[in-house]
Amino acid sequence: MTDVIVHMGLHKTGSTAIQRMMATNKIKLSDRGVLYPTTGRVGAGHHDLAWSFNRKPEQMPLWIALRSEISRSNPRQVVVSSEEFESLNTTERWSRLRDELEEKARVVCYLRRQDDYVISSYHQHVKTGATHPIAQHERKIAPRLDYAARLASIEAAIGKAAMIVRPYEKQQLPGGVLPDFLAAIGLEGAELDLPKFRVNPSLSVAGFNIMMDINKAVADKSLRQTLARFIWLHAFAASEVDKPNLLSLDARAEIVARYAEGNAEVARRYLGREDGALFYDAIG
């Protein structure tokens, strides 16, 4: 039976870099018996496969095409990747994914500490046109931040043994997310070409403020996106201290405390950490 890996992100955990690495090394991976399919890809990620779950079951020909591509290639392992799989927020949807694959799939999920997730995802929204305050953004994405509940819905569909849960933070990823991902799926030591540039870099303080001003002043979406691309290229943060301070330490600590119980459950259940420590980095 083919080993199928579904990398679901989460958002803001290096997914774009992982996808570019896999797409760039498609031939090298194929030589190792690993298929990174072309079916359902938008850019380097399999976003169309994830988005297909917003359609009716009888309108999902992409999955038929994916199974056909797998059959033709006859690989020992298949890897599909999209942070948009995060939108599969019910057991029923994950059960449908399992059935569509007709294989025993394993799911790789990276978790970012919730306060960092709020800041990073808000930053991304501002880069793409948002003007609402970060407090409003936090309330909107709150359902995504209950990791224990999210993982439980996946486990109910595919089983705990099929889940690979990885914390996404510097202290636990000293070599970065790319080698960690390869090790997680059994490709440790694979000699692949890694991205030599920053993927989706954060804006500097000045860049962030300029982007917010543009979002508020420019109504035309296409013009706003053109200006945004220019800013992304020329105003990204050179270091951690050059990034905008979007939440106070007290606000960050409050977010962390809100999800502490669920995070401890995740650490014990999926990482075998009896002390319940999911994240190690200091707040701020």
Side-chain angles (χ1 to χ4, degrees), residues 110 168-170 172-181:
Y110 281 86
Y168 180 84
E169 63 175 9
K170 289 184 177 179
Q172 299 188 65
L173 299 176
V177 71
L178 299 182
D180 185 84
F181 176 76

Side-chain angles (χ1 to χ4, degrees), residues 92 128 142 152 177 194 200 218 227 254 268:
E92 185 272 336
T128 54
V177 71
L194 304 183
N200 197 15
V218 179
L227 294 171
E254 191 279 328
R268 286 190 291 266

Side-chain angles (χ1 to χ4, degrees), residues 39 60-70 72:
T39 302
M60 296 176 68
L62 275 175
W63 291 91
I64 298 174
L66 176 63
R67 292 195 294 270
S68 177
E69 183 177 355
I70 294 172
R72 290 194 306 272

Side-chain angles (χ1 to χ4, degrees), residues 171-212:
Q171 189 172 160
Q172 299 188 65
L173 299 176
V177 71
L178 299 182
D180 185 84
F181 176 76
L182 292 175
I185 65 172
L187 290 176
E188 188 172 16
E191 296 183 0
L192 303 183
D193 297 322
L194 304 183
K196 294 180 174 59
F197 54 89
R198 297 171 70 180
V199 177
N200 197 15
S202 297
L203 292 172
S204 64
V205 174
F208 181 87
N209 291 333
I210 293 170
M211 194 70 251
M212 281 291 276

